[in-house]
Amino acid sequence: ADRGWESAVEQIGMHTPSVLILPGNPDMRVPLDIVRLPCLLSPALQILNLRLIRCGDRGAEVIAQHLAKSLPHLHTLDLAKNTIGASGTKALMAAAREQRALRMLVLDSNRIGDDGAEAVAAL
């Protein structure tokens, strides 16, 4: 089995990084278990790159749940190429309204649709 994500979690261990880059790749056989993602998130995190991890709407919703309450200093979140749709986008936009430090949210190459685009425009 592919232990890429488990290995990343083990390597980070108890460190509190301000930058966390866990980009996936098109050949990745095992997507990030998004439910385990919160164990990687520290309040000191300022930049989070989760490009191409195949998180989808469910992953975006999990990230949104932690955005305001667990990541007060996060200013850059890259979720490009994750098949995020309108519901994930709406959850992220609602969380971004509460989390005042966020300055850059990268959602290119997702499937946000018209409803997602309207949520982004309303922010």
Side-chain angles (χ1 to χ4, degrees), residues 76-109:
T76 303
L77 176 58
D78 186 342
L79 293 171
K81 301 180 181 180
N82 273 299
T83 64
I84 296 170
S87 66
T89 303
K90 288 177 183 179
L92 288 165
M93 294 306 106
R97 277 191 278 287
E98 295 178 33
Q99 203 275 18
R100 299 294 181 187
L102 193 64
R103 296 290 173 248
M104 180 184 293
L105 176 58
V106 182
L107 291 173
D108 63 272
S109 300

Side-chain angles (χ1 to χ4, degrees), residues 41-114:
L41 304 179
S42 97
L45 205 55
Q46 296 177 18
I47 299 171
L48 180 57
N49 181 334
L50 298 174
R51 178 179 289 256
L52 199 65
I53 63 165
R54 302 186 314 182
C55 72
D57 283 330
R58 177 66 186 124
E61 290 162 2
V62 168
I63 293 165
Q65 289 172 356
H66 295 279
L67 192 58
K69 63 183 174 187
S70 304
L71 300 168
H73 303 292
L74 190 72
H75 61 74
T76 303
L77 176 58
D78 186 342
L79 293 171
K81 301 180 181 180
N82 273 299
T83 64
I84 296 170
S87 66
T89 303
K90 288 177 183 179
L92 288 165
M93 294 306 106
R97 277 191 278 287
E98 295 178 33
Q99 203 275 18
R100 299 294 181 187
L102 193 64
R103 296 290 173 248
M104 180 184 293
L105 176 58
V106 182
L107 291 173
D108 63 272
S109 300
N110 280 292
R111 301 174 180 159
I112 67 172
D114 291 341

